[in-house]
Amino acid sequence: MRIGLYPGTFDPITLGHTDIIERAARLVDRLVIGVAINRDKGPLFSLDERVAMVRQECSAITGCEIVVHPFENLLIDCARDVGATVIIRGLRAVADFEYEFQMVGMNRAMDSSIETVFLMADARRQAIASKLVKEIARLGGDVSRFVPAAVGDALKSRLT
């Protein structure tokens, strides 16, 4: 069984994330969505809220078994914990690549048996970033083109 891990903070999950999840689900038998606790980022939503949002948005995605798994340890350790042989990462722009390139090098140094696969963001989704979505919502803008409807409602409720 091929197990993939798609990690992120998902604060909140966006249509860019769901695009990568849908495409990754066609590549593996089980896709683990690793929701990072990452207290350093100061998330808007609690871990439980982010996990619930990811579960809700992934419930209709087909192609493989999808499991949502919160984690606070190193990404490579999380991959080992869930039995992943591949880490799936989304790329939006060159700036993403530079950071991801360093991460791959460090992860391979810690465990060369776990591969990293990059999926390019769909052209319609390349500009979407959770940080920008939160800023737009905070300033009263319409985020409906960037996040699922339920996530947009949660943002509006949280920020008003």
Side-chain angles (χ1 to χ4, degrees):
M1 173 181 283
R2 183 172 293 269
I3 300 171
L5 171 63
Y6 178 48
T9 306
F10 304 104
D11 185 44
I13 188 168
T14 68
L15 295 176
H17 293 129
T18 58
D19 172 61
I20 297 293
I21 292 167
E22 288 169 356
R23 292 166 47 214
R26 296 190 302 258
L27 302 176
V28 295
D29 302 306
R30 175 184 294 150
L31 180 61
V32 178
I33 311 299
V35 181
I37 292 172
N38 203 342
R39 289 177 181 87
D40 293 339
K41 283 191 173 182
L44 177 63
F45 295 100
S46 72
L47 177 64
D48 290 341
E49 289 170 320
R50 290 181 286 128
V51 166
M53 281 190 263
V54 172
R55 281 193 178 123
Q56 179 178 342
E57 298 309 323
C58 292
S59 64
I61 295 175
T62 59
C64 74
E65 174 189 5
I66 295 179
V67 176
V68 180
H69 176 78
F71 75 101
E72 189 171 23
N73 54 343
L74 288 171
L75 174 57
I76 204 72
D77 290 335
C78 178
R80 287 183 194 126
D81 292 346
V82 300
T85 56
V86 62
I87 296 169
I88 297 165
R89 301 294 291 163
L91 291 177
R92 293 171 299 196
V94 174
D96 287 347
F97 179 79
E98 291 175 18
Y99 171 77
E100 295 295 341
F101 184 80
Q102 290 178 315
M103 285 289 292
V104 168
M106 296 302 287
N107 287 337
R108 289 204 47 87
M110 290 184 279
D111 191 333
S112 62
S113 70
I114 300 174
E115 290 293 339
T116 299
V117 173
F118 297 105
L119 296 178
M120 292 301 301
D122 181 278
R124 297 168 296 155
R125 310 280 188 228
Q126 286 180 351
I128 301 174
S130 294
K131 180 179 179 178
L132 296 176
V133 168
K134 287 184 287 191
E135 186 67 16
I136 292 166
R138 207 176 265 118
L139 296 172
D142 178 13
V143 295
S144 62
R145 294 181 315 189
F146 311 121
V147 296
V151 173
D153 292 344
L155 277 165
K156 188 174 183 178
S157 174
R158 179 61 48 91
L159 296 170
T160 58

